Amino acid sequence: MSRNAKINTLLLLAVAALAVLPLALGLGDHKEEPFAGSDAEAETAITEIEPDYEPWFSPLYEPPSGEVESALFALQAALGAGVLAYYFGLRRGRRQGEQRATAAAEATSVPRDTPEGD
């Protein structure tokens, strides 16, 4: 196994552990919504500290349910991942094209050491 393959395997295991360990260890079992977002956590904390707090702004769009909000967030993440993947793929393709062009130019411009026919 190459060094890069070992590093990739370790990174995948770390990501899997980050996803599975909170569920396996029961983190958040004492909460009503164990894995609520940071916005909900902040709103709860602010309400506990200052019950009469009035927000300065209201959202431009309020989704009808938590499922729709989650779907929109997942769509946003997927679009962002697609844009990043396209960018990195484009850069890699350009780099490979430049390497091929350089190799082809070197192959055609290198003089041969064989004597030309007498």
Side-chain angles (χ1 to χ4, degrees), residues 41-55:
E41 294 288 327
E43 184 179 345
T44 303
I46 290 170
T47 306
E48 288 176 3
I49 295 170
E50 185 67 42
D52 297 330
Y53 176 76
E54 289 287 328

Side-chain angles (χ1 to χ4, degrees), residues 7-18:
I7 291 172
N8 288 340
T9 303
L10 287 174
L11 288 173
L12 285 172
L13 289 174
V15 168
L18 285 173

Side-chain angles (χ1 to χ4, degrees), residues 55-64 69 72:
W56 294 1
F57 300 100
S58 61
L60 296 175
Y61 171 71
E62 188 72 36
E69 186 176 0
L72 290 173

